[in-house]
Amino acid sequence: MDPASPPSSTEPIPAPSRESSNVDEMEIRLRQLISNKQFFEAHQMYKVLNARFIKKNQFTEAQRLLVSGVLMMLSSHSAETPLLASASELCSLLFAVFLQANVALDQNVLAAITRIHDSFPPAASAEKHTFLTSALKWTQNAKSGGVPEGHPLVHNLLAQCCIGLQKHGQAQVHFLRGNQPELFAQVLTGWARRGYESEQDLFISRAILRYLCLGNLKDANTCFRRFCDVLPLDTPLINFTRFLLLAVERDAYPLFVTLTTRYQPSLQRDPQFQDLLHKVAHVFFHIAPPAAGILEQLGLA
């Protein structure tokens, strides 16, 4: 049911007693409303209680209430009683509380985010994506424990959500910021097998260069090994990628230069490779990118 639709019952919204702010008691009353299919009333009660908790600076109680509300709405969702809009609004209120209360990014919060993610029905990929995008933004802005690029756990969840939405480009971005290189390799092998055989090596080489641009040699190695275990390829580009990882690991800039020269025909297969390699050289060997690259970006070359 759309939370903006009129209530199916004329019964008033139950109000908590002034003497008690016990969340357990309130949750029992809310469960009764949901059990009686009074979803609009339950939704409004969640919003009223949340506002009261915030007014009293009872942020812990507000968080607990909203998490419980989201989970109950999602568990009660069905084709006959669509409650995704209600759950999504409560999610928005939850992240607003996180920001207002300066909630620390810790394992408890991540566990709540994961639990909500796991409760979305399979067909609700778009709503799940919206929730995870908000979660990622909060992990970037959290004043205590925030991660500027977003927490890896949320990137992991977003990567898989994007695959379900056929947003493969976005999925790659999130895999690179996550911490599941073996799963990323598994996904890459699937994409490679569905593509042209002559372009299978491009999938893994692009991913490895992007990992290296982020300074993540460890996951680059893991992803490359796993991909090659599942889909062994013997091409010049695969050889280049293997030797490139060795050059970076050994801090061997002369070898890097030799490789980029010797394998130039293979590197010309993708116009992005040159810019990616300039970034790799900058990240690992502290070599400034060519000035021409900047001029080209400005249209002055």
Side-chain angles (χ1 to χ4, degrees):
M1 175 183 295
D2 189 325
S5 64
S8 58
S9 170
T10 58
E11 295 181 19
I13 300 172
S17 62
R18 293 183 178 180
E19 294 79 11
S20 173
S21 61
N22 188 293
V23 180
D24 289 327
E25 178 183 339
M26 294 174 185
E27 286 181 348
I28 291 173
R29 300 173 70 181
L30 286 161
R31 287 193 191 97
Q32 291 174 345
L33 287 176
I34 292 176
S35 177
N36 293 332
K37 299 188 182 302
Q38 295 175 266
F39 301 115
F40 178 86
E41 292 86 344
H43 179 82
Q44 294 303 315
M45 186 174 176
Y46 277 117
K47 293 172 63 177
V48 169
L49 291 173
N50 177 63
R52 291 179 181 178
F53 281 140
I54 291 176
K55 188 174 181 179
K56 296 178 182 179
N57 291 327
Q58 294 176 317
F59 297 115
T60 300
E61 290 82 356
Q63 294 169 52
R64 179 179 166 187
L65 176 83
L66 291 171
V67 170
S68 174
V70 172
L71 294 174
M72 279 200 277
M73 289 296 180
L74 290 176
S75 66
S76 302
H77 170 80
S78 68
E80 293 74 25
T81 56
L83 299 172
L84 292 178
S86 180
S88 296
E89 184 176 359
L90 296 182
C91 286
S92 297
L93 293 175
L94 177 63
F95 289 121
V97 171
F98 283 172
L99 286 173
Q100 187 172 350
N102 293 328
V103 172
L105 175 54
D106 58 20
Q107 291 303 312
N108 290 329
V109 175
L110 292 173
I113 290 173
T114 302
R115 190 177 176 194
I116 291 173
H117 164 273
D118 293 345
S119 298
F120 274 93
S125 294
E127 291 83 1
K128 184 190 296 183
H129 184 271
T130 299
F131 163 72
L132 290 173
T133 300
S134 297
L136 183 67
K137 183 177 180 181
W138 176 75
T139 67
Q140 293 171 314
N141 297 323
K143 292 187 177 181
S144 177
V147 184
E149 61 273 15
H151 196 279
L153 172 73
V154 184
H155 279 296
N156 294 340
L157 299 175
L158 265 169
Q160 297 182 62
C161 183
C162 287
I163 291 175
L165 291 169
Q166 300 297 308
K167 297 181 178 182
H168 295 163
Q170 291 185 31
Q172 291 188 67
V173 171
H174 293 302
F175 270 122
L176 291 167
R177 291 291 189 182
N179 55 12
Q180 294 181 317
E182 292 192 352
L183 178 58
F184 188 23
Q186 179 181 333
V187 171
L188 288 169
T189 57
W191 290 344
R193 283 171 168 156
R194 291 195 294 271
Y196 294 109
E197 185 175 352
S198 61
E199 296 181 354
Q200 289 180 336
D201 54 357
L202 289 171
F203 286 88
I204 185 62
S205 292
R206 289 185 188 121
I208 298 310
L209 285 174
R210 288 167 181 159
Y211 264 131
L212 294 178
C213 286
L214 296 174
N216 192 345
L217 176 60
K218 177 178 179 291
D219 285 353
N221 272 313
T222 300
C223 186
F224 184 73
R225 285 195 300 267
R226 179 60 177 165
F227 181 95
C228 293
D229 287 343
V230 177
L231 185 61
L233 300 174
D234 185 13
T235 70
L237 187 58
I238 289 293
N239 291 334
F240 167 80
T241 306
R242 181 178 292 108
F243 291 135
L244 173 65
L245 289 168
L246 289 173
V248 170
E249 187 172 352
R250 297 173 181 177
D251 194 24
Y253 181 64
L255 177 57
F256 174 85
V257 173
T258 299
L259 291 172
T260 55
T261 301
R262 180 176 298 176
Y263 287 93
Q264 193 59 219
S266 294
L267 297 175
Q268 290 176 352
R269 293 171 56 197
D270 188 328
Q272 298 180 21
F273 279 169
Q274 291 302 324
D275 287 339
L276 292 173
L277 286 166
H278 289 323
K279 177 68 174 178
V280 172
H282 177 66
V283 169
F284 286 97
F285 305 114
H286 311 293
I287 305 298
I294 299 176
L295 295 177
E296 287 173 1
Q297 292 177 19
L298 298 175
L300 300 175

